[in-house]
Amino acid sequence: MKAQQVTDAERNEYNRLAWQCRRGMRELDELLNRFLGQCFSRLDRPEQETFIRLLDYPDDVLLELLMGRMAPADKDVAHIVQEIRNTTVS
């Protein structure tokens, strides 16, 4: 079986997202980078877009969401937050 070819555009998008996952807060860096590396490519496009939107959240809000101390109002964001949290258990 052939390995799946990664286009330059996909590689550039992944690198851009990896850079955005670097937040300067260890907890966020670990959660986001683990999810990006292990799960992002398996998401469908709308889920990927939701993850990208989530990266625009301020660090303090993002941390509260990922630690379960705040619940997102958007159901799509809530789904991705739960997926990120599930990744830490695996």
Side-chain angles (χ1 to χ4, degrees):
M1 180 182 249
K2 286 187 204 175
Q4 184 178 0
Q5 296 292 323
V6 176
T7 67
D8 286 341
E10 290 170 331
R11 188 176 301 109
N12 289 340
E13 179 182 31
Y14 181 88
N15 290 340
R16 181 181 58 78
L17 291 174
W19 182 256
Q20 285 184 283
C21 287
R22 295 180 184 180
R23 308 302 283 227
M25 187 180 297
R26 184 176 178 188
E27 296 87 349
L28 287 177
D29 291 354
E30 289 180 11
L31 289 168
L32 295 172
N33 280 298
R34 182 179 301 122
F35 183 78
L36 180 65
Q38 293 178 4
C39 302
F40 183 79
S41 64
R42 294 191 303 253
L43 299 176
D44 62 27
R45 191 62 198 164
E47 290 173 320
Q48 289 179 348
E49 290 170 359
T50 300
F51 177 74
I52 292 167
R53 270 192 303 132
L54 188 62
L55 294 177
D56 288 336
Y57 282 45
D59 289 352
D60 57 333
V61 172
L62 195 50
L63 183 64
E64 293 298 307
L65 292 172
L66 295 177
M67 294 293 117
R69 296 185 291 242
M70 181 188 293
D74 182 313
K75 69 177 181 58
D76 296 327
V77 171
H79 170 71
I80 295 301
V81 165
Q82 188 58 50
E83 291 296 314
I84 294 170
R85 295 181 78 210
N86 291 342
T87 304
T88 64
V89 180
S90 308

